[in-house]
Amino acid sequence: MSHPLTRVLTLLELLQSNSRLTGAELADRLDTDVRTVRRYTAHLRELGIPVEAERGRYGGYRLARGYRMPPLVLTNDEALAVVLGLLAAERLGMSTTAPASAGALAKIERVLPHAMREPLAAMREALSFTANAVIGQAPGTGVLLALAQASRARITVGISHQSWRQEHTERDIDPYGVVFHTGRWYVVGHDHLRDSLRTFRIDRIASVTPRVDSFTAPDGFDSVAHLTSSLAQGSYRWRVEVTIHGPLDEIARRLPRSAVTLTAQPTGVLMHARAERLDGMARVLASLEWPFTIHQPDELRQALKDLAAQLTAAAQRGPEDLPR
């Protein structure tokens, strides 16, 4: 929040959200000093925004009573698009450390005309989803935005990172792209510390510091493909290799990209995956409509036989076999 304009706008947001704040409180929120706060409030007054200053022990700053920001001008379609976008983001777990979605929805409803506010409130209350809500791992807003800006500008950044083992490291990375996947935010790029392509969860990054160096991403690099491939090759117990004798595009729609990697072969599609339990992999393969050939591990064959025995027993069980 180093840019003065950003701080002035943040000051306005703080005054809108609070009935009164002291100069010291504002200075602390803005990471500046009281004298600078006075200068920022003067800028707001020059823009026609009535900021009142109260002197004395219990004094502070506030917006003039009765003052309202100009109404937000949105068409019905635009307002609906914004509301649905916020609701969908919350459902997908695309949140940050602050309750931004709820605050944005409240502000939009507060400034919209009554004729538009009521239908949108009804939409929010009536809307249901078929998919379960995703519990997201919220990153810091500043960290997320800094990584996105560095990726677009192709600027190397220093990050303060903590691994899942609680090991803290300081390292420089070239952020090739930011990816959101199943409730978590990731940054993919070249790690200078390991001199290799790495993926970092953004909620484990405490701070981002721009460097003076720039970088060039590899031609045609696909951040999503790299992330899903990395997740599919996670540190699970079993390494699975199976040829599925079917069309690549249809098989890809049936299997999660985060769990498998698929390669077209003359005899079908070669699937590589890692699994902690082979009974789960057996169920995945059994759900497909195409024949397949197991390359490894041999234990997967027994898992399929066990599943077949369970299905056979279920098919032979009749109502008379139910416990009484």
Side-chain angles (χ1 to χ4, degrees):
M1 196 191 296
S2 59
H3 197 280
L5 178 58
T6 302
R7 283 178 168 161
V8 171
L9 294 175
T10 303
L11 171 61
L12 176 58
E13 173 66 21
L14 291 171
L15 293 174
Q16 283 183 281
S17 304
N18 298 271
S19 59
R20 185 187 60 81
L21 290 171
T22 67
E25 288 172 335
L26 288 170
D28 183 65
R29 301 276 189 95
L30 297 171
D31 193 24
T32 186
D33 53 44
V34 175
R35 181 178 179 181
T36 304
V37 168
R38 287 198 293 268
R39 187 167 72 249
Y40 290 163
T41 57
H43 290 328
L44 290 178
R45 293 189 187 102
E46 291 172 0
L47 294 172
I49 300 173
V51 179
E52 295 181 345
E54 300 175 336
R55 298 182 180 277
R57 180 179 178 183
Y58 300 103
Y61 294 90
R62 68 179 186 185
L63 291 178
R65 287 187 173 88
Y67 175 76
R68 294 291 184 270
M69 292 292 290
L72 186 64
V73 180
L74 292 174
T75 66
N76 288 358
D77 289 344
E78 291 169 342
L80 179 60
V82 172
V83 171
L84 290 179
L86 291 170
L87 293 174
E90 184 179 12
R91 189 75 178 184
L92 292 171
M94 298 180 71
S95 59
T96 55
T97 50
S101 296
L105 277 171
K107 289 176 183 177
I108 289 174
E109 291 181 352
R110 187 166 62 243
V111 300
L112 287 174
H114 179 79
M116 192 180 298
R117 188 188 317 158
E118 288 302 313
L120 290 177
M123 168 60 73
R124 185 170 66 169
E125 295 176 9
L127 180 63
S128 299
F129 295 84
T130 56
N132 293 329
V134 176
I135 299 176
Q137 299 292 329
T141 302
V143 170
L144 180 61
L145 293 178
L147 289 171
Q149 288 178 303
S151 177
R152 184 177 68 173
R154 294 296 190 246
I155 298 296
T156 300
V157 294
I159 63 172
S160 177
H161 179 261
Q162 182 170 282
S163 72
W164 64 275
R165 297 188 180 93
Q166 307 301 311
E167 297 171 346
H168 180 267
T169 56
E170 301 285 339
R171 61 183 75 205
D172 285 0
I173 65 169
D174 300 334
Y176 295 161
V178 173
V179 181
F180 178 79
H181 176 69
T182 60
R184 290 174 178 169
W185 291 91
Y186 299 85
V187 59
V188 179
H190 180 77
D191 176 18
H192 291 219
L193 182 64
R194 305 300 183 197
D195 192 24
S196 63
L197 188 60
R198 298 287 298 277
T199 299
F200 299 96
R201 273 177 46 180
I202 297 180
D203 60 289
R204 292 176 177 163
I205 298 176
S207 63
V208 177
T209 305
R211 305 300 191 202
V212 296
D213 300 328
S214 60
F215 67 87
T216 301
D219 290 338
F221 181 79
D222 188 333
S223 297
V224 172
H226 175 78
L227 173 67
T228 53
S229 176
S230 298
L231 294 177
Q233 301 301 318
S235 56
Y236 297 105
R237 180 181 179 187
W238 299 100
R239 182 184 180 90
V240 177
E241 186 176 316
V242 175
T243 295
I244 304 171
H245 305 287
L248 175 60
D249 56 344
E250 295 186 31
I251 293 172
R253 284 196 291 268
R254 296 284 296 276
L255 298 174
R257 296 179 63 184
S258 61
V260 303
T261 55
L262 302 173
T263 307
Q265 300 285 332
T267 57
V269 177
L270 182 63
M271 181 193 78
H272 286 98
R274 301 296 292 265
E276 189 65 28
R277 294 170 57 97
L278 290 179
D279 55 351
M281 182 59 65
R283 294 188 184 93
V284 169
L285 292 173
S287 70
L288 301 177
E289 59 188 271
W290 306 280
F292 52 85
T293 302
I294 299 172
H295 301 294
Q296 64 170 317
D298 287 335
E299 290 83 353
L300 179 56
R301 304 178 193 278
Q302 185 59 50
L304 282 163
K305 292 177 182 178
D306 294 341
L307 177 60
Q310 295 172 18
L311 294 175
T312 300
Q316 295 174 345
R317 190 178 304 120
E320 65 277 5
D321 299 318
L322 292 174
R324 298 183 184 276

